[in-house]
Amino acid sequence: MIKHARAAAGAVALWFAPARVRAEGTTPDYRFSLANERTFLAWLRTALALVGGGFAVDQFLRDLRRPVRVTLAVVLVVGGAMCAVRAVNHWVRCEQAMRRGDDLPVSRFPAALAVLVALVAVALLLTVTLGWAG
């Protein structure tokens, strides 16, 4: 357990130490590093959109029952926070893999995020069509 906690702490420390990431392996073609950075920024835009969507649900859908509104808002904001954390973690893992000449890391997170967004969309659709207003 402690070993896993130290490994996780070491991985998080890399998020804030790009020089340590650059010190590993050999420098990849800059186009690949820049593509990795663009992907990171796209994930951050997605995170911001989810957080903004959560805020919008809470502030502008006042006709919804409070528990429904708050639940949808919290799911979106938490999804946005998870997306932001995933973005930086994936950026570091991809950069390390490119520098080592390894395969790029795979992740189930995009599928989980897609399911989360689909569930929120279905919940909002049902709420609007069935009139679950407060």
Side-chain angles (χ1 to χ4, degrees), residues 57-58 60-70 72-73 123-124 126-128 131-134:
V57 164
D58 184 55
F60 301 118
L61 297 181
R62 291 292 182 182
D63 291 341
L64 290 181
R65 290 188 200 143
R66 188 176 187 327
V68 173
R69 188 179 76 238
V70 170
L72 290 172
L124 283 170
L126 289 173
T127 300
V128 169
W132 291 341

Side-chain angles (χ1 to χ4, degrees), residues 92-103:
V92 167
R93 290 174 51 218
C94 285
E95 194 67 28
Q96 287 178 315
M98 287 188 298
R99 290 180 164 280
R100 291 183 198 136
D102 293 342
D103 289 337

Side-chain angles (χ1 to χ4, degrees), residues 15-16 39-51 76-92 109 113:
W15 299 355
F16 303 99
T39 303
F40 166 73
L41 294 172
W43 278 105
L44 284 184
R45 284 190 302 274
T46 302
L48 285 170
L50 289 168
V51 170
L76 287 168
V77 170
V78 168
M82 289 172 51
C83 193
V85 169
R86 187 262 182 206
V88 69
N89 184 52
H90 192 72
W91 175 82
V92 167
F109 187 81
L113 182 63

